[in-house]
Amino acid sequence: MKNSKYILLALLVVLGATSCKKFLDVNNDPNNPNNESVLVENRLPWIEHFYQYTSGVSNFRSSCIAGVYYSNSAAGNALSTTWTTHTGNTTPYQTWFVEVASNLNDLYKTAQKNGAYHYMATANVFHALGFMQMLDIYGEMPYTQAISGIASPAFDDGKAIYKGCMAKLDEAIALFGKTQEATAVPLSKGDLWNNGDLNKWIKLCYGLKARYMLKLSKKSDLYNGDSVLYYVARGPQSNAENTIGPGYNNSTVTDYLLGDPVVTNGNFDYAAYGSNQRISQYHYNLLTNMRGSGVTDPRMTKIVPAAMSNIQLDGSGKVISYTWNRSAGVDMHGAATRLLKGGAASIVAPSYATANTNITYAISDATDRANFIAAQTTAGRPFTTSGNNVTVTYRAGSIYINSTNYLYAGDTVYVNLRSSSIATSGIPAQGQTDVSWYPSVPAFTAGAVASTGSFQIRPVSDQEILTYHEMCFIKAEAYMRKGDAGSAHTAYKAGIQAHLDMMQAKLTQWQGSGYTATNPDMAPMSGTAITAYMASNAVVQTAGALTMADIMLQKYVAMGCSIENWNDMRRFNFSAGNIGGFGVVYPGFDRTPLFAGTALYTGGSKADPRYWPRRFMLPTTLELNYNLANVLALNANATAPNIWSMPVWWDCATDDEYYGYLKK
């Protein structure tokens, strides 16, 4: 691991003048900065921001594994579709250590010197957030020596990392409870997340302890449902107590490390910056057919993007009429017919027709040709045929696929999740309150929207650090494990309602800020639809009918772009159905028909832990090149291809099982 301790210090100087909050400013001597002179109130907001950044990539890539998203990018597709993995795996690791962890000791020490106990506490919170995230992803890593300045730090096992993170939260709770020295700067001066609200920070700590204790659900000697409930009761008790990281669209400044926008939601920077990601069929089905009810969730049109279709232009080339094409889900976990025909990463992004555009498709298969012609007839597009060739005219204003491969022509049904920010759109005239995606400047000029984006991953979306709805679902699971179905049912329904309410509040805020002028998916849901959904068969109405699958699938929808879905799926062994008598918790989730990871996932059946994706291999360009001796000293199998299916510490029922995996 390379020692990049002071990179963020330089960034403070570069970005201070253009940041999204007035207190995101440079230190007291911008011409001669040094590590001692960076004020805690200037360091903390950048740590908060860059944690959102490292969390964003972790959330996105784990959501590909968990089947939330399909991706045709190299890394994303290897995790979502082929399960062949991406050998680099550098970004979560690099962004954490370079942009966040390298600053925590300095924040803590400077705050300690000034009696700023609340800033010391925040350093501990980020320590727990980030190192637990690294444990979730990589298993073993430098921990005790990780940010000590040692060039080749020793590795720690998952148990040591877990215990260390929990201890940091305990210390943070104590520090938040102390009165700062009179000369110490108030936390409100440097806090982007909670505006200095100590109550919310303390509830964040307790909520994280509940989340982390739930990870131990496989461990009969360590899991304690009463303890989980104790910490849930001290975590957020309403949406007003959520901890969120704000996202903005008011700056064109980009990150020094990877060049992504600085002020936007971290999930956007990975899941919706480019045109590679789409909603999976698995996710889509939960939003349209939860529990086989056939009921459409009112959240569906806010999560599943839409694009304009059947566009008509006026004489000046402006859109005057259209219909909305709501995206289909990409079926990579089911039959995967489209992907099997075209290739795992073959779904194509659309273009905009500035004039009538003819494309000729050579279709030798008679059945495919007949089906293709029928599709053009249904769509009302002009076409001609000549032998095996079909020439289709895409009228001016069409959003279409610019390829002669007929297999791709229908890919407009898969609307990508892309949103735009002023730092990324490439369209100078696109304002701050228009975050829809347009495939070109002419499309924007015409007003032809190619994607409305998705609720959680727009540049102006809140990044959910810890929420009341997560606490409700944790509570429901803990009660279900205790056999108290009545209390579990109450918490389950509260979790669904809390997520609906949280979304509705944000949608209402967006409407008031003018975003809905160009994007109806950013408008509030129908109150009547929400009430009807809560009373429908999509939601379990009696405690006696509630199953663990009901709880976890609603949690899956609510958490969305979050590493916690992958964490939960590992705890229940995905769809193996062999945990605690709860049956299959994630029905229909399995290896995809395009699975090609036989060397990585060596388990022969669903019940075998090594059938499933359990962790990432360590970054080759960092630890495996620069610190291999320490890597192998702890985990002799760290470089083996099937490291990807090796459970991390909390994913093992016993320590013997875990340490057995680390030996040759």
Coordinates of all heavy atoms in Angstrom, one line a residue, residues 332-380:
M332 N -30.7 -10.8 -16.7 CA -29.4 -11.5 -16.7 C -29.5 -12.7 -15.7 O -28.6 -13.6 -15.8 CB -28.2 -10.7 -16.4 CG -28.0 -10.2 -15.0 SD -28.7 -8.5 -14.8 CE -27.9 -8.0 -13.3
H333 N -30.4 -12.7 -14.8 CA -30.5 -13.8 -13.9 C -31.6 -14.8 -14.3 O -31.8 -15.9 -13.6 CB -30.8 -13.3 -12.4 CG -29.6 -12.7 -11.8 ND1 -28.6 -13.4 -11.3 CD2 -29.3 -11.4 -11.6 CE1 -27.6 -12.6 -10.8 NE2 -28.0 -11.3 -11.0
G334 N -32.4 -14.5 -15.3 CA -33.4 -15.4 -15.8 C -33.0 -16.0 -17.1 O -31.9 -16.6 -17.2
A335 N -33.9 -15.9 -18.1 CA -33.6 -16.6 -19.4 C -32.5 -15.9 -20.1 O -31.8 -16.5 -20.9 CB -34.9 -16.6 -20.2
A336 N -32.4 -14.6 -19.9 CA -31.3 -13.8 -20.5 C -31.3 -13.9 -22.0 O -30.2 -14.0 -22.6 CB -30.0 -14.1 -19.9
T337 N -32.4 -14.0 -22.7 CA -32.5 -14.2 -24.1 C -31.7 -13.2 -24.9 O -30.9 -13.5 -25.8 CB -34.0 -14.2 -24.6 OG1 -34.7 -15.2 -23.8 CG2 -34.0 -14.5 -26.0
R338 N -31.9 -11.9 -24.6 CA -31.2 -10.8 -25.3 C -29.7 -11.0 -25.2 O -28.9 -10.8 -26.1 CB -31.7 -9.5 -24.9 CG -30.8 -8.3 -25.2 CD -30.7 -8.0 -26.7 NE -29.8 -6.9 -27.0 CZ -28.5 -7.0 -27.0 NH1 -27.9 -8.2 -26.8 NH2 -27.8 -6.0 -27.3
L339 N -29.2 -11.2 -23.9 CA -27.8 -11.2 -23.7 C -27.2 -12.5 -24.3 O -26.0 -12.4 -24.8 CB -27.5 -11.2 -22.2 CG -27.9 -9.9 -21.5 CD1 -27.6 -10.0 -20.0 CD2 -27.3 -8.7 -22.1
L340 N -27.9 -13.6 -24.3 CA -27.3 -14.8 -24.9 C -27.1 -14.7 -26.4 O -26.2 -15.2 -27.0 CB -28.2 -16.0 -24.5 CG -28.1 -16.5 -23.1 CD1 -29.2 -17.5 -22.8 CD2 -26.8 -17.1 -22.8
K341 N -28.0 -13.9 -27.0 CA -27.9 -13.7 -28.4 C -26.8 -12.7 -28.8 O -26.1 -12.9 -29.7 CB -29.2 -13.1 -29.0 CG -30.3 -14.2 -29.2 CD -31.5 -13.6 -30.0 CE -32.5 -14.7 -30.3 NZ -33.6 -14.2 -31.1
G342 N -26.7 -11.6 -28.0 CA -25.8 -10.5 -28.4 C -24.5 -10.5 -27.6 O -23.6 -9.8 -28.1
G343 N -24.4 -11.1 -26.5 CA -23.2 -11.1 -25.7 C -23.5 -10.4 -24.3 O -24.4 -9.6 -24.2
A344 N -22.7 -10.8 -23.3 CA -23.0 -10.4 -22.0 C -23.0 -8.9 -21.8 O -23.8 -8.3 -21.0 CB -22.0 -11.0 -21.0
A345 N -22.1 -8.2 -22.5 CA -22.0 -6.7 -22.4 C -22.4 -6.0 -23.6 O -22.0 -4.9 -23.9 CB -20.5 -6.4 -22.1
S346 N -23.4 -6.5 -24.3 CA -23.7 -6.0 -25.6 C -24.8 -4.9 -25.7 O -25.1 -4.4 -26.8 CB -24.1 -7.2 -26.6 OG -25.3 -7.8 -26.1
I347 N -25.5 -4.7 -24.6 CA -26.6 -3.7 -24.7 C -26.0 -2.3 -25.0 O -25.1 -1.9 -24.3 CB -27.4 -3.7 -23.4 CG1 -28.2 -5.0 -23.3 CG2 -28.4 -2.5 -23.3 CD1 -29.1 -5.2 -22.1
V348 N -26.6 -1.6 -25.9 CA -26.0 -0.4 -26.5 C -26.8 0.8 -26.1 O -28.0 0.8 -26.0 CB -26.0 -0.6 -28.1 CG1 -25.5 0.7 -28.7 CG2 -25.3 -1.8 -28.5
A349 N -26.0 1.9 -25.9 CA -26.6 3.2 -25.6 C -27.2 3.8 -26.8 O -26.7 3.6 -27.9 CB -25.6 4.1 -24.9
P350 N -28.2 4.7 -26.7 CA -28.9 5.2 -27.8 C -28.3 6.5 -28.4 O -27.4 7.1 -27.7 CB -30.3 5.5 -27.3 CG -30.0 5.9 -25.8 CD -28.9 5.0 -25.4
S351 N -28.7 6.9 -29.6 CA -28.3 8.1 -30.2 C -29.6 8.9 -30.5 O -30.7 8.4 -30.4 CB -27.5 7.8 -31.5 OG -26.4 7.1 -31.2
Y352 N -29.4 10.1 -31.0 CA -30.5 11.0 -31.4 C -30.4 11.3 -32.9 O -29.4 11.7 -33.4 CB -30.4 12.3 -30.6 CG -31.5 13.3 -31.0 CD1 -32.8 13.1 -30.6 CD2 -31.2 14.4 -31.7 CE1 -33.8 14.0 -31.0 CE2 -32.1 15.4 -32.1 CZ -33.4 15.1 -31.7 OH -34.4 16.1 -32.1
A353 N -31.6 11.1 -33.6 CA -31.6 11.3 -35.0 C -32.0 12.8 -35.3 O -33.1 13.3 -35.0 CB -32.7 10.4 -35.6
T354 N -31.0 13.6 -35.8 CA -31.2 15.0 -36.1 C -32.0 15.1 -37.4 O -32.6 16.2 -37.7 CB -29.9 15.7 -36.2 OG1 -29.1 15.1 -37.2 CG2 -29.2 15.7 -34.9
A355 N -32.0 14.1 -38.2 CA -32.7 14.0 -39.5 C -33.2 12.6 -39.7 O -32.7 11.7 -39.0 CB -31.8 14.5 -40.6
N356 N -34.1 12.4 -40.7 CA -34.5 11.0 -41.0 C -33.3 10.2 -41.3 O -32.4 10.6 -42.1 CB -35.4 11.0 -42.2 CG -36.8 11.5 -41.8 OD1 -37.1 11.8 -40.7 ND2 -37.7 11.7 -42.8
T357 N -33.2 9.0 -40.6 CA -32.0 8.2 -40.7 C -32.3 6.8 -41.1 O -33.2 6.1 -40.4 CB -31.2 8.2 -39.3 OG1 -30.9 9.5 -39.0 CG2 -30.0 7.3 -39.4
N358 N -31.7 6.3 -42.2 CA -32.0 4.9 -42.6 C -30.8 4.0 -42.1 O -29.7 4.3 -42.3 CB -32.0 4.9 -44.2 CG -33.2 5.6 -44.7 OD1 -34.3 5.7 -44.1 ND2 -33.1 6.2 -45.9
I359 N -31.3 2.9 -41.6 CA -30.3 1.8 -41.2 C -30.8 0.5 -41.9 O -31.9 0.1 -41.7 CB -30.2 1.7 -39.7 CG1 -29.6 3.0 -39.1 CG2 -29.3 0.5 -39.4 CD1 -29.4 2.9 -37.6
T360 N -29.8 -0.2 -42.5 CA -30.1 -1.5 -43.1 C -29.6 -2.6 -42.3 O -28.4 -2.6 -41.9 CB -29.5 -1.5 -44.5 OG1 -30.1 -0.5 -45.4 CG2 -29.8 -2.9 -45.2
Y361 N -30.4 -3.5 -42.0 CA -30.1 -4.7 -41.2 C -30.1 -5.9 -42.0 O -31.1 -6.2 -42.7 CB -31.1 -4.9 -40.0 CG -31.2 -3.7 -39.2 CD1 -32.2 -2.7 -39.4 CD2 -30.4 -3.4 -38.0 CE1 -32.4 -1.6 -38.6 CE2 -30.6 -2.3 -37.2 CZ -31.6 -1.4 -37.5 OH -31.8 -0.3 -36.7
A362 N -29.0 -6.7 -42.0 CA -29.0 -8.0 -42.7 C -29.4 -9.1 -41.7 O -28.7 -9.3 -40.7 CB -27.6 -8.3 -43.3
I363 N -30.5 -9.8 -42.0 CA -31.1 -10.7 -41.0 C -31.3 -12.0 -41.8 O -32.3 -12.2 -42.5 CB -32.4 -10.2 -40.4 CG1 -32.2 -8.8 -39.8 CG2 -32.8 -11.2 -39.2 CD1 -33.5 -8.2 -39.3
S364 N -30.4 -13.0 -41.6 CA -30.4 -14.2 -42.4 C -31.5 -15.2 -41.8 O -32.1 -15.9 -42.6 CB -29.1 -14.9 -42.5 OG -28.6 -15.1 -41.1
D365 N -31.7 -15.2 -40.5 CA -32.7 -16.1 -39.9 C -34.1 -15.6 -40.2 O -34.5 -14.5 -39.9 CB -32.4 -16.1 -38.4 CG -33.3 -17.2 -37.8 OD1 -34.5 -16.8 -37.4 OD2 -32.9 -18.3 -37.6
A366 N -34.9 -16.5 -40.8 CA -36.2 -16.1 -41.3 C -37.1 -15.7 -40.1 O -37.9 -14.7 -40.2 CB -36.8 -17.2 -42.1
T367 N -37.0 -16.5 -39.0 CA -37.9 -16.2 -37.9 C -37.5 -14.8 -37.2 O -38.4 -14.0 -36.9 CB -37.8 -17.3 -36.8 OG1 -38.2 -18.5 -37.4 CG2 -38.6 -17.0 -35.6
D368 N -36.2 -14.6 -37.1 CA -35.7 -13.4 -36.5 C -36.1 -12.2 -37.4 O -36.5 -11.1 -36.9 CB -34.2 -13.4 -36.4 CG -33.8 -14.2 -35.2 OD1 -34.6 -14.7 -34.4 OD2 -32.5 -14.3 -35.0
R369 N -36.1 -12.4 -38.7 CA -36.4 -11.3 -39.7 C -37.9 -11.0 -39.6 O -38.3 -9.8 -39.5 CB -36.0 -11.7 -41.1 CG -36.2 -10.6 -42.1 CD -35.5 -10.9 -43.4 NE -36.1 -12.1 -44.1 CZ -35.5 -13.3 -44.1 NH1 -34.3 -13.5 -43.6 NH2 -36.1 -14.3 -44.7
A370 N -38.7 -12.0 -39.5 CA -40.2 -11.8 -39.4 C -40.5 -11.1 -38.1 O -41.4 -10.2 -38.0 CB -40.9 -13.2 -39.5
N371 N -39.9 -11.5 -37.0 CA -40.1 -10.9 -35.7 C -39.7 -9.4 -35.7 O -40.3 -8.5 -35.2 CB -39.4 -11.6 -34.6 CG -40.0 -13.0 -34.3 OD1 -41.2 -13.2 -34.6 ND2 -39.2 -13.9 -33.7
F372 N -38.5 -9.2 -36.4 CA -38.0 -7.8 -36.5 C -39.0 -6.9 -37.3 O -39.3 -5.8 -36.9 CB -36.6 -7.8 -37.1 CG -36.0 -6.5 -37.2 CD1 -35.3 -6.0 -36.1 CD2 -36.0 -5.7 -38.4 CE1 -34.7 -4.7 -36.2 CE2 -35.4 -4.5 -38.5 CZ -34.7 -4.0 -37.4
I373 N -39.5 -7.4 -38.4 CA -40.4 -6.7 -39.2 C -41.7 -6.4 -38.4 O -42.2 -5.3 -38.5 CB -40.7 -7.4 -40.5 CG1 -39.5 -7.4 -41.4 CG2 -41.9 -6.8 -41.2 CD1 -39.6 -8.3 -42.6
A374 N -42.1 -7.4 -37.7 CA -43.4 -7.2 -36.9 C -43.2 -6.1 -35.8 O -44.1 -5.3 -35.6 CB -43.8 -8.5 -36.2
A375 N -42.0 -6.0 -35.3 CA -41.7 -5.0 -34.3 C -41.7 -3.6 -34.9 O -42.2 -2.6 -34.3 CB -40.3 -5.3 -33.6
Q376 N -41.2 -3.5 -36.1 CA -41.2 -2.2 -36.8 C -42.6 -1.8 -37.1 O -43.0 -0.6 -37.0 CB -40.3 -2.2 -38.1 CG -38.9 -2.7 -37.9 CD -38.2 -2.2 -36.6 OE1 -38.1 -1.0 -36.5 NE2 -37.8 -3.1 -35.8
T377 N -43.4 -2.7 -37.5 CA -44.8 -2.4 -37.8 C -45.6 -1.9 -36.6 O -46.3 -0.9 -36.6 CB -45.5 -3.7 -38.4 OG1 -44.8 -4.1 -39.6 CG2 -47.0 -3.4 -38.7
T378 N -45.3 -2.6 -35.5 CA -46.0 -2.2 -34.2 C -45.5 -0.8 -33.8 O -46.3 0.0 -33.3 CB -45.6 -3.2 -33.1 OG1 -46.1 -4.5 -33.5 CG2 -46.2 -2.8 -31.8
A379 N -44.3 -0.5 -34.0 CA -43.7 0.8 -33.6 C -44.1 1.9 -34.6 O -43.9 3.1 -34.3 CB -42.2 0.7 -33.5
G380 N -44.7 1.5 -35.8 CA -45.1 2.5 -36.7 C -43.9 3.1 -37.5 O -44.0 4.3 -38.0

